[in-house]
Amino acid sequence: MLNFSNVHMKFDKDVLSDINLNIDSGEFVSILGPSGCGKSTLLRLASNLTKPTKGVVDYISYKDLSIGFVFQNPTLMPWRTVLENVTLPLELNKKKSSKEEALMWLERVGLKDKEKSYPNELSGGQMMRVSIARSLINGCNLLLLDEPFAALDEITRRKLEDDLLEIWEKEKFTVLFVTHSVSEAIYLSQRVLVLSSGPGKIVYEKNINQYNSKEEFRGSKEFQNINSEIFEKLKSGVNNE
Amino acid sequence: MNKLSTYFSPIIALTIIFIIWEFLVNLFSIQLYILPAPTDIFLSLNDNLKELLLATLNTLKITLFAFLIATLIAIGLAIIFSLSKILEISLYPITVIFQVTPVVAIAPLIIIWVGLDNAEIAILILSVIVAFFPVLANTNLGFRSVDKNLKELFLINRASKWQTLTKLNLPYATPYILTGMKTSIGLALIGTVVAEFVAGTGSSAGLSWIIIESGNRLDIAKLFSALVLLVLSGIFLFLLMSTIEYSILRRWHQSVKENES
C-alpha cells in the first residue's frame, strides 16, 4: 500500500538516498538504523508531513487512508484527560466523538480504568499506551511508529510489544516501525530493513519466518543467528560514514 | 515549613514592626505630620472609611477593567502574530515602543485627546498601555513553545487553523498566558495609580487623589491609610490572579502539582 520510489531527501546535506521500498497492505515492517540515519525522516515522508527532494512517495489503492503516528515521546496533551486525548483524532476529523469507541480502545491497550486520569498521573508505559490508542482510533490503516518503546524499561517494553502485536494480528493494519533495537525489530516484524547512515540507504533486507509462539521464537537458535547477522550489517552500515 | 507557619510568619513579623514603630514614634515624640504611629493611621482609616473605600473601589474598578482590556488585546495580538509572520515582524516593534515609553510621558497627550472631562477614560487607556505587554510577550512565547510532535499530530489529522488554535495553541499557552496576567494585573494597578496622579481631578476620585490631597494638607495619617488600602488592593489582585491560575491549572500542570506534594 505504501511505495517509495527513488526517494532522495536533502536538508543541509543528504539525509536519505535512493530509497526504494514497497510495503504491502497488512505488513509489519521494521526499519533499523544507527542514530541520525534518517529513520525519522523516512516516517515523516511516509506520513506526508514532508515531501521528498526527489522521487515519489505514494499510497496505492487507498481511498480512505488514515495514518496513525506514534512518536518517540507519548506526546499527550496534559490539559486533557486520557479519554479526551484518545478522542482527539475523531474531533479533528469532525467525526462524532464517540466515547464508547475511545473506551473500547483504552480497554484494548489495558487502560480501561484510567479514562478520567490526566497524563501526569500515568507512568511512562501507560502514557505510551494512550498514545497507541489515540493513533488507532480513527480507523487507522497505516501505523507509523518512531522508536516508541525506546524510553521504557525492558519488562514494560516487552509487554507493550506483545500487546501491539496482538492488536495488529486482529486489525491487520500496515505497520512501519522504526527502532534502533535489533532484537525488537526481529521479534515484532515480518520484514526488517537496515539503513546505513550518512546518507541513509537501505543496505539490507531480511524476511523473518513466523513462529507460532513468539516467546519460543525469541529463545530459539534461529533468532540468535538472525540477530548477529543483522547486527553485523548494521555495524558495517555505520562504518560507511 | 508547614502551611500554618507560611501564613503566620509574615503576620507576626509585621506585628512586631508595628509595635516597634509605635514605640519609637512615642519615644521621640515625632510630629503627626511627619510620621504618624500605626494607631493614628488606624484611627484616620476609621474616620475617613467611607471616602477611602469609595476611592479604593474607583481605583480597583479602573484597574480591573484596564487589566481585562489589556489581556484581550494582548491575546488577540499574539493570535494575529501567530497566524501572520509579516504582521508579527511589522507590529511587534511598535508594541515594544509602547512598553518602553514611561506612561507619565504620554499621559498629557492622552488626556488632551480624550478631553479633560473624561479623565477616567484617559486613566483607563494609560493603564491598558502599561499592562498589556507582559501578556503579549508570554502568550507569544507560549505559542512558540508548542510541542513539535503535537503540531505534527494535528497536521497528520488535517486539523484546520481554527482547530489548531483552539485545541492546541491556546491550551498549550495557557500557563504562559496566566504568568503574563499575574505580572499584568500588578502593572495595571501601578498604571492606574500613576495615571490618576497625572490626570486625576474631581471627576475621578481614586486613591491617588486622596494621596495628593492629604499630602498637600499635611494629613499624613490619611495619606498612610490610603497607602494601606493601595497595598491591600495590590495583594487582593495578586491573590485573585493566583486563585484563577490555580483553579485552571490544578488538574494538569506540573507547577501546581509539585507544590501540592
Side-chain angles (χ1 to χ4, degrees), chain B residues 28-195:
Chain B
F28 296 107
S29 317
I30 298 172
Q31 294 298 316
L32 199 60
Y33 60 84
I34 305 286
L35 179 67
T39 43
D40 298 322
I41 297 169
F42 180 77
L43 285 177
S44 170
L45 189 66
N46 198 34
D47 289 344
N48 304 298
L49 195 60
K50 203 177 163 206
E51 186 194 356
L52 283 166
L53 281 184
L54 271 177
T56 309
L57 277 181
N58 240 332
T59 300
L60 272 181
K61 196 177 70 191
I62 297 184
T63 301
L64 280 173
F65 214 43
F67 168 66
L68 283 179
I69 295 173
T71 302
L72 288 178
I73 291 177
I75 295 176
L77 272 177
I79 290 172
I80 292 172
F81 289 175
S82 76
L83 294 175
S84 160
K85 193 79 204 157
I86 187 79
L87 280 177
E88 176 173 11
I89 52 177
S90 328
L91 294 182
Y92 198 74
I94 299 177
T95 66
V96 175
I97 293 176
F98 271 108
Q99 161 70 8
V100 296
T101 311
V103 66
V104 182
I106 43 173
L109 257 186
I110 305 282
I111 293 165
I112 290 167
W113 286 343
V114 300
L116 278 170
D117 299 336
N118 300 320
E120 286 205 331
I121 296 177
I123 295 168
L124 186 73
I125 293 173
L126 290 166
S127 181
V128 168
I129 291 174
V130 175
F132 87 97
F133 194 78
V135 181
L136 174 66
N138 278 289
T139 311
N140 208 357
L141 178 67
F143 285 169
R144 284 163 191 272
S145 314
V146 174
D147 186 278
K148 188 175 137 274
N149 289 339
L150 275 175
K151 280 193 216 161
E152 289 182 332
L153 181 75
F154 273 64
L155 282 176
I156 289 172
N157 284 289
R158 295 184 209 89
S160 65
K161 281 205 161 177
W162 177 249
Q163 285 176 324
T164 310
L165 176 68
T166 55
K167 289 179 195 289
L168 178 60
N169 290 355
L170 277 175
Y172 199 97
T174 299
Y176 295 84
I177 296 174
L178 289 168
T179 303
M181 286 170 79
K182 249 161 116 178
T183 315
S184 245
I185 203 163
L187 283 179
L189 181 63
I190 294 173
T192 305
V193 169
V194 171

Side-chain angles (χ1 to χ4, degrees), chain A residues 44 47 49 65-69 71-73 75-80 88-94 116-121 134 138, chain B residues 146-160 163-164 166-173 249-254 257:
Chain A
R44 271 153 190 84
S47 64
L49 278 171
L65 179 72
S66 170
I67 297 172
F69 205 116
F71 300 91
Q72 195 166 353
N73 300 316
T75 317
L76 302 178
M77 306 201 283
W79 59 88
R80 286 181 169 230
L88 177 83
L90 297 180
E91 277 171 47
L92 294 182
N93 287 285
K94 301 211 170 68
K116 291 199 179 85
S117 302
Y118 282 79
N120 63 7
E121 294 157 357
R134 179 182 62 192
N138 197 21
Chain B
V146 174
D147 186 278
K148 188 175 137 274
N149 289 339
L150 275 175
K151 280 193 216 161
E152 289 182 332
L153 181 75
F154 273 64
L155 282 176
I156 289 172
N157 284 289
R158 295 184 209 89
S160 65
Q163 285 176 324
T164 310
T166 55
K167 289 179 195 289
L168 178 60
N169 290 355
L170 277 175
Y172 199 97
L249 301 185
R250 186 168 50 97
R251 284 307 299 274
W252 62 272
H253 203 257
Q254 216 57 40
K257 284 271 163 187

Side-chain angles (χ1 to χ4, degrees), chain A:
Chain A
M1 72 170 297
L2 176 64
N3 194 329
F4 283 66
S5 53
N6 300 315
V7 169
H8 287 258
M9 192 68 194
K10 191 175 174 170
F11 295 121
D12 292 335
K13 51 176 190 161
D14 289 326
V15 181
L16 291 171
S17 152
D18 201 24
I19 303 286
N20 285 292
L21 172 62
N22 186 47
I23 298 172
D24 289 334
S25 195
E27 205 180 358
F28 198 127
V29 177
S30 283
I31 296 177
L32 261 174
S35 310
C37 71
K39 292 177 299 203
S40 294
T41 310
L42 198 77
L43 280 188
R44 271 153 190 84
L45 286 168
S47 64
N48 229 337
L49 278 171
T50 39
K51 295 260 175 277
T53 320
K54 266 194 282 177
V56 187
V57 177
D58 56 356
Y59 311 97
I60 301 154
S61 68
Y62 256 89
K63 278 179 251 102
D64 297 322
L65 179 72
S66 170
I67 297 172
F69 205 116
V70 179
F71 300 91
Q72 195 166 353
N73 300 316
T75 317
L76 302 178
M77 306 201 283
W79 59 88
R80 286 181 169 230
T81 62
V82 163
L83 185 79
E84 289 162 349
N85 264 289
V86 175
T87 52
L88 177 83
L90 297 180
E91 277 171 47
L92 294 182
N93 287 285
K94 301 211 170 68
K95 289 186 184 162
K96 220 176 146 188
S97 179
S98 145
K99 195 183 164 191
E100 285 70 37
E101 212 180 333
L103 283 176
M104 185 273 280
W105 278 110
L106 278 175
E107 194 179 354
R108 289 186 70 175
V109 297
L111 280 180
K112 198 181 181 199
D113 51 335
K114 294 283 182 192
E115 81 225 39
K116 291 199 179 85
S117 302
Y118 282 79
N120 63 7
E121 294 157 357
L122 303 182
S123 68
Q126 289 172 327
M127 284 198 259
M128 194 43 86
R129 288 172 184 276
V130 178
S131 188
I132 291 172
R134 179 182 62 192
S135 69
L136 295 175
I137 194 172
N138 197 21
C140 167
N141 40 37
L142 175 60
L143 183 63
L144 308 168
L145 303 101
D146 189 2
E147 301 187 16
F149 308 144
L152 303 177
D153 65 83
E154 189 69 22
I155 296 164
T156 313
R157 179 183 184 135
R158 288 200 181 185
K159 187 82 186 57
L160 266 151
E161 287 169 3
D162 286 336
D163 290 352
L164 176 66
L165 272 179
E166 194 188 312
I167 295 172
W168 169 72
E169 270 157 15
K170 279 210 187 95
E171 302 288 325
K172 284 293 172 195
F173 41 76
T174 312
V175 182
L176 193 54
F177 189 100
V178 160
T179 177
H180 57 231
S181 157
V182 181
S183 59
E184 183 174 65
I186 301 170
Y187 181 70
L188 287 174
S189 28
Q190 298 171 310
R191 185 147 61 108
V192 177
L193 302 170
V194 178
L195 226 59
S196 66
S197 59
K201 262 185 191 167
I202 297 174
V203 289
Y204 190 65
E205 190 173 335
K206 175 87 183 168
N207 288 311
I208 313 285
N209 292 326
Q210 294 302 297
Y211 270 60
N212 281 332
S213 155
K214 281 276 177 187
E215 211 41 58
E216 195 183 306
F217 177 48
R218 205 197 306 257
S220 72
K221 186 84 186 117
E222 188 186 352
F223 190 93
Q224 296 302 324
N225 290 340
I226 301 173
N227 201 329
S228 38
E229 180 188 337
I230 291 182
F231 184 75
E232 281 309 313
K233 299 290 175 191
L234 194 61
K235 217 164 90 184
S236 58
V238 180
N239 289 342
N240 276 351
E241 242 176 300

Side-chain angles (χ1 to χ4, degrees), chain B residues 184-258:
Chain B
S184 245
I185 203 163
L187 283 179
L189 181 63
I190 294 173
T192 305
V193 169
V194 171
E196 277 177 355
F197 260 95
V198 188
T201 57
S203 82
S204 91
L207 279 174
S208 305
W209 184 241
I210 292 185
I211 291 174
I212 295 170
E213 198 195 35
S214 27
N216 289 340
R217 294 197 282 118
L218 289 185
D219 189 350
I220 306 302
K222 192 177 173 190
L223 192 154
F224 260 104
S225 43
L227 271 182
V228 169
L229 286 172
L230 198 56
V231 170
L232 289 178
S233 303
I235 294 173
F236 163 72
L237 292 173
F238 184 80
L239 287 179
L240 179 74
M241 235 358 266
S242 299
T243 311
I244 292 173
E245 183 184 39
Y246 178 78
S247 59
I248 292 177
L249 301 185
R250 186 168 50 97
R251 284 307 299 274
W252 62 272
H253 203 257
Q254 216 57 40
S255 62
V256 180
K257 284 271 163 187
E258 271 166 10

